[in-house]
Amino acid sequence: MPLDRMDHLSDDALLAAYAAGDQAAARTLTLRLTPRVFAHAMRLLGDRAEAEDVTQDALMRLWKVAPNWQAGTAKPSTWLFTVTANLCTDRLRRKGRQGVDIDAIPEPEDDAPRAEHVLQEQARIAALESALQSLPDGQRQAVVLRHIEGLGNPEIAEIMDISVRAVESLTARGKRALAAALAEKREALGYDHDG
Amino acid sequence: MTDKRKHKPTPDGPGDLSNPSAQALDVDLDIFFDAARSAQPEPSPELMARVLDDALAMQPPAQPLAARPAPSVPTRSWLGTLLDTLGGWPAAASLATATLAGVWIGISPPDAVSAVTAQLGLAAEAAIALPDGEELITTYLDEG
């Protein structure tokens, strides 16, 4: 089946087509899922090379289970987020968490308004990523899934294998910790101006 | 979706911003989350190629149409068809019992049956003489 005719298919349907040997389904799934997995791994690990390894590993596991996938039991994307988070957690534990120096974040230097805006956005992203890395694993994962990936609490609970109430608690504590870390950079990051 | 954790003024004023927790509440995290969402880390083309290579390498071979199992058509044996016609095993059992009983009564009639047939003048060895066909037709025409 041509790629453009597969775009409207659900992940479940694509996975079934993949398992039946449809190469177009393999390409569509790769294009659809790889960016999401990589972005999530990148936010959890903060390291591009490691995030790439985790992405390849997580998707490898999806290809492996595809022939036995039970359609309708779980969304492939939810399953992938779970696998990705577990792989990231394993890596973080193996190498040990490294401290984050939030003061090392570059501050905007260019006076041109447009360039300043771009630099300010980049500084905010860098500050958020650094602050995220300072959170405990569970809080970081819950905050990323909720506020950056945009998932609902029930899906996050399924991914993290905890209750919805626990997700709410982790998210709230994570946001408090983030706010505390970012408050120190408030002037440099300019959120007093256009937030 | 995200909370705007603006500092909430207290009746005594804007709060003590020297307190770290009060400072934390003054941060609007949405601008950070918005920035992060607008700049999603993109995978490199090399990573995309590696993932696709894996996908194709681990993909089960496509099944040709001839190799796919044909949908099974339920078949019925002649006995099953006969049973269905009769109404199933219970009906077949009743029919068999009635048939055997009839055969047995014919071979060895009970005394009660013999008495009835004797009263009707139908001795077991008696033959009933029936008029032949021509006689029947003549009688019928004569009587109108």
Side-chain angles (χ1 to χ4, degrees), chain B residues 42-79:
Chain B
E42 294 292 334
S44 65
E46 291 77 17
L47 173 62
M48 297 294 286
R50 286 206 303 272
V51 170
L52 182 57
D53 285 347
D54 289 342
L56 295 175
M58 297 185 68
Q59 186 169 30
Q63 296 180 4
L65 285 176
R68 291 178 185 164
S72 60
V73 177
T75 54
R76 300 284 293 154
S77 66
W78 65 269
L79 180 59

PDB file of all heavy atoms in Angstrom, chain B residues 42-79:
ATOM      1  N   GLU B  42      14.705  16.845  17.149  1.00  0.00           N
ATOM      2  CA  GLU B  42      14.459  16.039  15.942  1.00  0.00           C
ATOM      3  C   GLU B  42      15.506  14.940  15.815  1.00  0.00           C
ATOM      4  O   GLU B  42      16.697  15.183  16.019  1.00  0.00           O
ATOM      5  CB  GLU B  42      14.514  16.931  14.701  1.00  0.00           C
ATOM      6  CG  GLU B  42      13.406  17.964  14.622  1.00  0.00           C
ATOM      7  CD  GLU B  42      12.038  17.334  14.392  1.00  0.00           C
ATOM      8  OE1 GLU B  42      11.990  16.229  13.832  1.00  0.00           O
ATOM      9  OE2 GLU B  42      11.031  17.955  14.782  1.00  0.00           O
ATOM     10  N   PRO B  43      15.061  13.746  15.443  1.00  0.00           N
ATOM     11  CA  PRO B  43      16.047  12.674  15.230  1.00  0.00           C
ATOM     12  C   PRO B  43      16.842  12.940  13.954  1.00  0.00           C
ATOM     13  O   PRO B  43      16.328  13.541  13.005  1.00  0.00           O
ATOM     14  CB  PRO B  43      15.175  11.422  15.083  1.00  0.00           C
ATOM     15  CG  PRO B  43      13.851  11.932  14.621  1.00  0.00           C
ATOM     16  CD  PRO B  43      13.682  13.296  15.228  1.00  0.00           C
ATOM     17  N   SER B  44      18.060  12.495  13.947  1.00  0.00           N
ATOM     18  CA  SER B  44      18.898  12.689  12.757  1.00  0.00           C
ATOM     19  C   SER B  44      18.450  11.736  11.650  1.00  0.00           C
ATOM     20  O   SER B  44      17.847  10.689  11.924  1.00  0.00           O
ATOM     21  CB  SER B  44      20.360  12.394  13.111  1.00  0.00           C
ATOM     22  OG  SER B  44      20.492  11.021  13.442  1.00  0.00           O
ATOM     23  N   PRO B  45      18.744  12.091  10.386  1.00  0.00           N
ATOM     24  CA  PRO B  45      18.420  11.175   9.278  1.00  0.00           C
ATOM     25  C   PRO B  45      19.096   9.814   9.452  1.00  0.00           C
ATOM     26  O   PRO B  45      18.532   8.786   9.066  1.00  0.00           O
ATOM     27  CB  PRO B  45      18.963  11.906   8.043  1.00  0.00           C
ATOM     28  CG  PRO B  45      19.032  13.342   8.436  1.00  0.00           C
ATOM     29  CD  PRO B  45      19.309  13.363   9.903  1.00  0.00           C
ATOM     30  N   GLU B  46      20.279   9.825  10.044  1.00  0.00           N
ATOM     31  CA  GLU B  46      20.987   8.548  10.247  1.00  0.00           C
ATOM     32  C   GLU B  46      20.198   7.647  11.200  1.00  0.00           C
ATOM     33  O   GLU B  46      20.094   6.433  10.994  1.00  0.00           O
ATOM     34  CB  GLU B  46      22.399   8.799  10.805  1.00  0.00           C
ATOM     35  CG  GLU B  46      23.357   9.460   9.829  1.00  0.00           C
ATOM     36  CD  GLU B  46      23.112  10.954   9.681  1.00  0.00           C
ATOM     37  OE1 GLU B  46      22.427  11.539  10.561  1.00  0.00           O
ATOM     38  OE2 GLU B  46      23.580  11.547   8.687  1.00  0.00           O
ATOM     39  N   LEU B  47      19.661   8.257  12.260  1.00  0.00           N
ATOM     40  CA  LEU B  47      18.880   7.456  13.209  1.00  0.00           C
ATOM     41  C   LEU B  47      17.627   6.913  12.519  1.00  0.00           C
ATOM     42  O   LEU B  47      17.279   5.730  12.680  1.00  0.00           O
ATOM     43  CB  LEU B  47      18.482   8.298  14.426  1.00  0.00           C
ATOM     44  CG  LEU B  47      17.528   7.589  15.399  1.00  0.00           C
ATOM     45  CD1 LEU B  47      18.173   6.346  15.998  1.00  0.00           C
ATOM     46  CD2 LEU B  47      17.073   8.538  16.511  1.00  0.00           C
ATOM     47  N   MET B  48      16.948   7.756  11.746  1.00  0.00           N
ATOM     48  CA  MET B  48      15.755   7.296  11.034  1.00  0.00           C
ATOM     49  C   MET B  48      16.099   6.116  10.122  1.00  0.00           C
ATOM     50  O   MET B  48      15.344   5.137  10.043  1.00  0.00           O
ATOM     51  CB  MET B  48      15.167   8.443  10.199  1.00  0.00           C
ATOM     52  CG  MET B  48      14.678   9.627  11.007  1.00  0.00           C
ATOM     53  SD  MET B  48      13.265   9.267  12.058  1.00  0.00           S
ATOM     54  CE  MET B  48      11.970   9.159  10.852  1.00  0.00           C
ATOM     55  N   ALA B  49      17.243   6.211   9.446  1.00  0.00           N
ATOM     56  CA  ALA B  49      17.641   5.133   8.535  1.00  0.00           C
ATOM     57  C   ALA B  49      17.940   3.846   9.311  1.00  0.00           C
ATOM     58  O   ALA B  49      17.556   2.745   8.885  1.00  0.00           O
ATOM     59  CB  ALA B  49      18.868   5.575   7.738  1.00  0.00           C
ATOM     60  N   ARG B  50      18.600   3.992  10.464  1.00  0.00           N
ATOM     61  CA  ARG B  50      18.910   2.796  11.266  1.00  0.00           C
ATOM     62  C   ARG B  50      17.625   2.120  11.752  1.00  0.00           C
ATOM     63  O   ARG B  50      17.501   0.894  11.735  1.00  0.00           O
ATOM     64  CB  ARG B  50      19.783   3.189  12.464  1.00  0.00           C
ATOM     65  CG  ARG B  50      21.220   3.516  12.119  1.00  0.00           C
ATOM     66  CD  ARG B  50      22.154   3.268  13.315  1.00  0.00           C
ATOM     67  NE  ARG B  50      21.756   4.016  14.498  1.00  0.00           N
ATOM     68  CZ  ARG B  50      22.149   5.265  14.769  1.00  0.00           C
ATOM     69  NH1 ARG B  50      22.931   5.895  13.905  1.00  0.00           N
ATOM     70  NH2 ARG B  50      21.775   5.863  15.876  1.00  0.00           N
ATOM     71  N   VAL B  51      16.686   2.945  12.217  1.00  0.00           N
ATOM     72  CA  VAL B  51      15.429   2.380  12.726  1.00  0.00           C
ATOM     73  C   VAL B  51      14.680   1.667  11.602  1.00  0.00           C
ATOM     74  O   VAL B  51      14.151   0.563  11.788  1.00  0.00           O
ATOM     75  CB  VAL B  51      14.554   3.501  13.347  1.00  0.00           C
ATOM     76  CG1 VAL B  51      13.155   2.973  13.663  1.00  0.00           C
ATOM     77  CG2 VAL B  51      15.202   4.039  14.617  1.00  0.00           C
ATOM     78  N   LEU B  52      14.649   2.288  10.415  1.00  0.00           N
ATOM     79  CA  LEU B  52      13.947   1.647   9.295  1.00  0.00           C
ATOM     80  C   LEU B  52      14.649   0.361   8.877  1.00  0.00           C
ATOM     81  O   LEU B  52      13.988  -0.642   8.567  1.00  0.00           O
ATOM     82  CB  LEU B  52      13.862   2.625   8.117  1.00  0.00           C
ATOM     83  CG  LEU B  52      13.112   2.090   6.885  1.00  0.00           C
ATOM     84  CD1 LEU B  52      11.699   1.656   7.259  1.00  0.00           C
ATOM     85  CD2 LEU B  52      13.072   3.136   5.781  1.00  0.00           C
ATOM     86  N   ASP B  53      15.963   0.371   8.897  1.00  0.00           N
ATOM     87  CA  ASP B  53      16.706  -0.864   8.572  1.00  0.00           C
ATOM     88  C   ASP B  53      16.323  -1.977   9.542  1.00  0.00           C
ATOM     89  O   ASP B  53      16.103  -3.127   9.145  1.00  0.00           O
ATOM     90  CB  ASP B  53      18.218  -0.606   8.650  1.00  0.00           C
ATOM     91  CG  ASP B  53      18.717   0.180   7.441  1.00  0.00           C
ATOM     92  OD1 ASP B  53      17.958   0.296   6.471  1.00  0.00           O
ATOM     93  OD2 ASP B  53      19.856   0.684   7.496  1.00  0.00           O
ATOM     94  N   ASP B  54      16.263  -1.623  10.825  1.00  0.00           N
ATOM     95  CA  ASP B  54      15.862  -2.620  11.828  1.00  0.00           C
ATOM     96  C   ASP B  54      14.460  -3.151  11.529  1.00  0.00           C
ATOM     97  O   ASP B  54      14.203  -4.362  11.603  1.00  0.00           O
ATOM     98  CB  ASP B  54      15.858  -1.991  13.231  1.00  0.00           C
ATOM     99  CG  ASP B  54      17.266  -1.705  13.735  1.00  0.00           C
ATOM    100  OD1 ASP B  54      18.223  -2.281  13.191  1.00  0.00           O
ATOM    101  OD2 ASP B  54      17.391  -0.909  14.694  1.00  0.00           O
ATOM    102  N   ALA B  55      13.568  -2.203  11.228  1.00  0.00           N
ATOM    103  CA  ALA B  55      12.168  -2.585  10.999  1.00  0.00           C
ATOM    104  C   ALA B  55      12.061  -3.575   9.844  1.00  0.00           C
ATOM    105  O   ALA B  55      11.360  -4.588   9.933  1.00  0.00           O
ATOM    106  CB  ALA B  55      11.321  -1.344  10.722  1.00  0.00           C
ATOM    107  N   LEU B  56      12.764  -3.274   8.765  1.00  0.00           N
ATOM    108  CA  LEU B  56      12.677  -4.146   7.590  1.00  0.00           C
ATOM    109  C   LEU B  56      13.382  -5.476   7.828  1.00  0.00           C
ATOM    110  O   LEU B  56      12.932  -6.520   7.365  1.00  0.00           O
ATOM    111  CB  LEU B  56      13.272  -3.435   6.367  1.00  0.00           C
ATOM    112  CG  LEU B  56      12.497  -2.182   5.924  1.00  0.00           C
ATOM    113  CD1 LEU B  56      13.224  -1.472   4.790  1.00  0.00           C
ATOM    114  CD2 LEU B  56      11.071  -2.538   5.513  1.00  0.00           C
ATOM    115  N   ALA B  57      14.480  -5.413   8.590  1.00  0.00           N
ATOM    116  CA  ALA B  57      15.222  -6.653   8.856  1.00  0.00           C
ATOM    117  C   ALA B  57      14.427  -7.593   9.762  1.00  0.00           C
ATOM    118  O   ALA B  57      14.510  -8.823   9.625  1.00  0.00           O
ATOM    119  CB  ALA B  57      16.565  -6.325   9.497  1.00  0.00           C
ATOM    120  N   MET B  58      13.662  -7.039  10.680  1.00  0.00           N
ATOM    121  CA  MET B  58      12.935  -7.879  11.645  1.00  0.00           C
ATOM    122  C   MET B  58      11.503  -8.172  11.204  1.00  0.00           C
ATOM    123  O   MET B  58      10.772  -8.866  11.902  1.00  0.00           O
ATOM    124  CB  MET B  58      12.912  -7.189  13.005  1.00  0.00           C
ATOM    125  CG  MET B  58      14.298  -7.010  13.593  1.00  0.00           C
ATOM    126  SD  MET B  58      14.240  -6.318  15.239  1.00  0.00           S
ATOM    127  CE  MET B  58      13.507  -7.661  16.151  1.00  0.00           C
ATOM    128  N   GLN B  59      11.127  -7.626  10.044  1.00  0.00           N
ATOM    129  CA  GLN B  59       9.739  -7.797   9.612  1.00  0.00           C
ATOM    130  C   GLN B  59       9.496  -9.228   9.135  1.00  0.00           C
ATOM    131  O   GLN B  59      10.302  -9.788   8.386  1.00  0.00           O
ATOM    132  CB  GLN B  59       9.433  -6.816   8.478  1.00  0.00           C
ATOM    133  CG  GLN B  59       7.975  -6.818   8.057  1.00  0.00           C
ATOM    134  CD  GLN B  59       7.666  -5.654   7.138  1.00  0.00           C
ATOM    135  OE1 GLN B  59       8.531  -5.191   6.393  1.00  0.00           O
ATOM    136  NE2 GLN B  59       6.439  -5.168   7.187  1.00  0.00           N
ATOM    137  N   PRO B  60       8.387  -9.812   9.554  1.00  0.00           N
ATOM    138  CA  PRO B  60       8.047 -11.138   9.024  1.00  0.00           C
ATOM    139  C   PRO B  60       7.842 -11.041   7.518  1.00  0.00           C
ATOM    140  O   PRO B  60       7.398 -10.001   7.022  1.00  0.00           O
ATOM    141  CB  PRO B  60       6.729 -11.483   9.735  1.00  0.00           C
ATOM    142  CG  PRO B  60       6.652 -10.572  10.914  1.00  0.00           C
ATOM    143  CD  PRO B  60       7.390  -9.328  10.515  1.00  0.00           C
ATOM    144  N   PRO B  61       8.167 -12.105   6.771  1.00  0.00           N
ATOM    145  CA  PRO B  61       7.982 -12.055   5.315  1.00  0.00           C
ATOM    146  C   PRO B  61       6.504 -11.918   4.972  1.00  0.00           C
ATOM    147  O   PRO B  61       5.634 -12.415   5.684  1.00  0.00           O
ATOM    148  CB  PRO B  61       8.551 -13.398   4.847  1.00  0.00           C
ATOM    149  CG  PRO B  61       8.534 -14.267   6.048  1.00  0.00           C
ATOM    150  CD  PRO B  61       8.695 -13.381   7.246  1.00  0.00           C
ATOM    151  N   ALA B  62       6.270 -11.208   3.860  1.00  0.00           N
ATOM    152  CA  ALA B  62       4.886 -11.045   3.407  1.00  0.00           C
ATOM    153  C   ALA B  62       4.321 -12.405   3.027  1.00  0.00           C
ATOM    154  O   ALA B  62       5.010 -13.227   2.419  1.00  0.00           O
ATOM    155  CB  ALA B  62       4.846 -10.099   2.222  1.00  0.00           C
ATOM    156  N   GLN B  63       3.080 -12.625   3.388  1.00  0.00           N
ATOM    157  CA  GLN B  63       2.449 -13.906   3.078  1.00  0.00           C
ATOM    158  C   GLN B  63       1.760 -13.804   1.727  1.00  0.00           C
ATOM    159  O   GLN B  63       0.856 -12.989   1.559  1.00  0.00           O
ATOM    160  CB  GLN B  63       1.418 -14.257   4.146  1.00  0.00           C
ATOM    161  CG  GLN B  63       2.020 -14.478   5.516  1.00  0.00           C
ATOM    162  CD  GLN B  63       0.964 -14.832   6.536  1.00  0.00           C
ATOM    163  OE1 GLN B  63      -0.194 -14.992   6.227  1.00  0.00           O
ATOM    164  NE2 GLN B  63       1.383 -14.947   7.776  1.00  0.00           N
ATOM    165  N   PRO B  64       2.201 -14.645   0.721  1.00  0.00           N
ATOM    166  CA  PRO B  64       1.463 -14.646  -0.554  1.00  0.00           C
ATOM    167  C   PRO B  64       0.046 -15.171  -0.338  1.00  0.00           C
ATOM    168  O   PRO B  64      -0.208 -15.918   0.609  1.00  0.00           O
ATOM    169  CB  PRO B  64       2.284 -15.592  -1.434  1.00  0.00           C
ATOM    170  CG  PRO B  64       3.055 -16.430  -0.486  1.00  0.00           C
ATOM    171  CD  PRO B  64       3.299 -15.597   0.745  1.00  0.00           C
ATOM    172  N   LEU B  65      -0.842 -14.764  -1.229  1.00  0.00           N
ATOM    173  CA  LEU B  65      -2.246 -15.148  -1.063  1.00  0.00           C
ATOM    174  C   LEU B  65      -2.417 -16.664  -1.009  1.00  0.00           C
ATOM    175  O   LEU B  65      -3.194 -17.172  -0.208  1.00  0.00           O
ATOM    176  CB  LEU B  65      -3.074 -14.581  -2.226  1.00  0.00           C
ATOM    177  CG  LEU B  65      -3.351 -13.071  -2.154  1.00  0.00           C
ATOM    178  CD1 LEU B  65      -4.091 -12.627  -3.403  1.00  0.00           C
ATOM    179  CD2 LEU B  65      -4.166 -12.743  -0.905  1.00  0.00           C
ATOM    180  N   ALA B  66      -1.650 -17.399  -1.874  1.00  0.00           N
ATOM    181  CA  ALA B  66      -1.830 -18.851  -1.910  1.00  0.00           C
ATOM    182  C   ALA B  66      -1.400 -19.503  -0.618  1.00  0.00           C
ATOM    183  O   ALA B  66      -1.895 -20.567  -0.243  1.00  0.00           O
ATOM    184  CB  ALA B  66      -1.032 -19.431  -3.082  1.00  0.00           C
ATOM    185  N   ALA B  67      -0.464 -18.845   0.082  1.00  0.00           N
ATOM    186  CA  ALA B  67       0.050 -19.463   1.292  1.00  0.00           C
ATOM    187  C   ALA B  67      -0.851 -19.222   2.490  1.00  0.00           C
ATOM    188  O   ALA B  67      -0.717 -19.861   3.512  1.00  0.00           O
ATOM    189  CB  ALA B  67       1.446 -18.919   1.594  1.00  0.00           C
ATOM    190  N   ARG B  68      -1.732 -18.246   2.338  1.00  0.00           N
ATOM    191  CA  ARG B  68      -2.610 -17.964   3.465  1.00  0.00           C
ATOM    192  C   ARG B  68      -3.646 -19.071   3.610  1.00  0.00           C
ATOM    193  O   ARG B  68      -4.184 -19.554   2.621  1.00  0.00           O
ATOM    194  CB  ARG B  68      -3.308 -16.621   3.248  1.00  0.00           C
ATOM    195  CG  ARG B  68      -2.325 -15.470   3.333  1.00  0.00           C
ATOM    196  CD  ARG B  68      -2.995 -14.143   3.071  1.00  0.00           C
ATOM    197  NE  ARG B  68      -1.983 -13.087   3.047  1.00  0.00           N
ATOM    198  CZ  ARG B  68      -2.190 -11.879   2.551  1.00  0.00           C
ATOM    199  NH1 ARG B  68      -3.362 -11.561   2.057  1.00  0.00           N
ATOM    200  NH2 ARG B  68      -1.240 -10.979   2.570  1.00  0.00           N
ATOM    201  N   PRO B  69      -3.924 -19.486   4.777  1.00  0.00           N
ATOM    202  CA  PRO B  69      -4.907 -20.558   4.952  1.00  0.00           C
ATOM    203  C   PRO B  69      -6.284 -20.117   4.467  1.00  0.00           C
ATOM    204  O   PRO B  69      -6.729 -19.007   4.772  1.00  0.00           O
ATOM    205  CB  PRO B  69      -4.892 -20.798   6.466  1.00  0.00           C
ATOM    206  CG  PRO B  69      -4.297 -19.551   7.045  1.00  0.00           C
ATOM    207  CD  PRO B  69      -3.388 -18.986   6.018  1.00  0.00           C
ATOM    208  N   ALA B  70      -6.885 -20.996   3.647  1.00  0.00           N
ATOM    209  CA  ALA B  70      -8.220 -20.675   3.148  1.00  0.00           C
ATOM    210  C   ALA B  70      -9.214 -20.727   4.302  1.00  0.00           C
ATOM    211  O   ALA B  70      -9.048 -21.520   5.232  1.00  0.00           O
ATOM    212  CB  ALA B  70      -8.609 -21.697   2.080  1.00  0.00           C
ATOM    213  N   PRO B  71     -10.196 -19.863   4.238  1.00  0.00           N
ATOM    214  CA  PRO B  71     -11.187 -19.904   5.313  1.00  0.00           C
ATOM    215  C   PRO B  71     -11.877 -21.261   5.311  1.00  0.00           C
ATOM    216  O   PRO B  71     -12.245 -21.779   4.269  1.00  0.00           O
ATOM    217  CB  PRO B  71     -12.151 -18.776   4.940  1.00  0.00           C
ATOM    218  CG  PRO B  71     -11.903 -18.501   3.500  1.00  0.00           C
ATOM    219  CD  PRO B  71     -10.481 -18.847   3.235  1.00  0.00           C
ATOM    220  N   SER B  72     -11.972 -21.851   6.460  1.00  0.00           N
ATOM    221  CA  SER B  72     -12.536 -23.191   6.554  1.00  0.00           C
ATOM    222  C   SER B  72     -14.048 -23.136   6.360  1.00  0.00           C
ATOM    223  O   SER B  72     -14.721 -22.291   6.939  1.00  0.00           O
ATOM    224  CB  SER B  72     -12.193 -23.802   7.907  1.00  0.00           C
ATOM    225  OG  SER B  72     -12.727 -22.990   8.923  1.00  0.00           O
ATOM    226  N   VAL B  73     -14.526 -24.041   5.500  1.00  0.00           N
ATOM    227  CA  VAL B  73     -15.972 -24.138   5.276  1.00  0.00           C
ATOM    228  C   VAL B  73     -16.473 -25.319   6.080  1.00  0.00           C
ATOM    229  O   VAL B  73     -15.986 -26.437   5.917  1.00  0.00           O
ATOM    230  CB  VAL B  73     -16.271 -24.350   3.778  1.00  0.00           C
ATOM    231  CG1 VAL B  73     -17.764 -24.514   3.564  1.00  0.00           C
ATOM    232  CG2 VAL B  73     -15.720 -23.196   2.980  1.00  0.00           C
ATOM    233  N   PRO B  74     -17.405 -25.116   6.947  1.00  0.00           N
ATOM    234  CA  PRO B  74     -17.876 -26.243   7.757  1.00  0.00           C
ATOM    235  C   PRO B  74     -18.555 -27.289   6.875  1.00  0.00           C
ATOM    236  O   PRO B  74     -19.362 -26.950   6.005  1.00  0.00           O
ATOM    237  CB  PRO B  74     -18.876 -25.586   8.714  1.00  0.00           C
ATOM    238  CG  PRO B  74     -19.247 -24.295   8.082  1.00  0.00           C
ATOM    239  CD  PRO B  74     -18.085 -23.873   7.264  1.00  0.00           C
ATOM    240  N   THR B  75     -18.177 -28.555   7.028  1.00  0.00           N
ATOM    241  CA  THR B  75     -18.782 -29.637   6.242  1.00  0.00           C
ATOM    242  C   THR B  75     -19.596 -30.527   7.180  1.00  0.00           C
ATOM    243  O   THR B  75     -19.252 -30.666   8.353  1.00  0.00           O
ATOM    244  CB  THR B  75     -17.706 -30.477   5.554  1.00  0.00           C
ATOM    245  OG1 THR B  75     -16.784 -30.933   6.546  1.00  0.00           O
ATOM    246  CG2 THR B  75     -16.936 -29.638   4.534  1.00  0.00           C
ATOM    247  N   ARG B  76     -20.656 -31.155   6.630  1.00  0.00           N
ATOM    248  CA  ARG B  76     -21.521 -32.018   7.426  1.00  0.00           C
ATOM    249  C   ARG B  76     -21.480 -33.414   6.840  1.00  0.00           C
ATOM    250  O   ARG B  76     -21.555 -33.601   5.621  1.00  0.00           O
ATOM    251  CB  ARG B  76     -22.957 -31.502   7.414  1.00  0.00           C
ATOM    252  CG  ARG B  76     -23.105 -30.106   7.967  1.00  0.00           C
ATOM    253  CD  ARG B  76     -23.030 -30.088   9.477  1.00  0.00           C
ATOM    254  NE  ARG B  76     -24.154 -30.760  10.067  1.00  0.00           N
ATOM    255  CZ  ARG B  76     -24.117 -31.320  11.278  1.00  0.00           C
ATOM    256  NH1 ARG B  76     -23.008 -31.285  11.978  1.00  0.00           N
ATOM    257  NH2 ARG B  76     -25.171 -31.921  11.782  1.00  0.00           N
ATOM    258  N   SER B  77     -21.391 -34.412   7.683  1.00  0.00           N
ATOM    259  CA  SER B  77     -21.448 -35.787   7.197  1.00  0.00           C
ATOM    260  C   SER B  77     -22.908 -36.128   6.844  1.00  0.00           C
ATOM    261  O   SER B  77     -23.837 -35.416   7.221  1.00  0.00           O
ATOM    262  CB  SER B  77     -20.944 -36.729   8.286  1.00  0.00           C
ATOM    263  OG  SER B  77     -21.836 -36.691   9.381  1.00  0.00           O
ATOM    264  N   TRP B  78     -23.068 -37.247   6.101  1.00  0.00           N
ATOM    265  CA  TRP B  78     -24.439 -37.638   5.723  1.00  0.00           C
ATOM    266  C   TRP B  78     -25.252 -37.957   6.969  1.00  0.00           C
ATOM    267  O   TRP B  78     -26.446 -37.675   7.036  1.00  0.00           O
ATOM    268  CB  TRP B  78     -24.415 -38.839   4.771  1.00  0.00           C
ATOM    269  CG  TRP B  78     -23.863 -40.100   5.414  1.00  0.00           C
ATOM    270  CD1 TRP B  78     -22.580 -40.504   5.424  1.00  0.00           C
ATOM    271  CD2 TRP B  78     -24.604 -41.057   6.169  1.00  0.00           C
ATOM    272  NE1 TRP B  78     -22.451 -41.659   6.126  1.00  0.00           N
ATOM    273  CE2 TRP B  78     -23.695 -42.035   6.586  1.00  0.00           C
ATOM    274  CE3 TRP B  78     -25.950 -41.200   6.502  1.00  0.00           C
ATOM    275  CZ2 TRP B  78     -24.071 -43.124   7.344  1.00  0.00           C
ATOM    276  CZ3 TRP B  78     -26.331 -42.296   7.257  1.00  0.00           C
ATOM    277  CH2 TRP B  78     -25.394 -43.253   7.683  1.00  0.00           C
ATOM    278  N   LEU B  79     -24.570 -38.490   7.995  1.00  0.00           N
ATOM    279  CA  LEU B  79     -25.298 -38.814   9.223  1.00  0.00           C
ATOM    280  C   LEU B  79     -25.766 -37.534   9.916  1.00  0.00           C
ATOM    281  O   LEU B  79     -26.896 -37.434  10.412  1.00  0.00           O
ATOM    282  CB  LEU B  79     -24.389 -39.622  10.154  1.00  0.00           C
ATOM    283  CG  LEU B  79     -25.001 -40.032  11.491  1.00  0.00           C
ATOM    284  CD1 LEU B  79     -26.243 -40.886  11.269  1.00  0.00           C
ATOM    285  CD2 LEU B  79     -23.986 -40.773  12.348  1.00  0.00           C
TER     286      LEU B  79
END
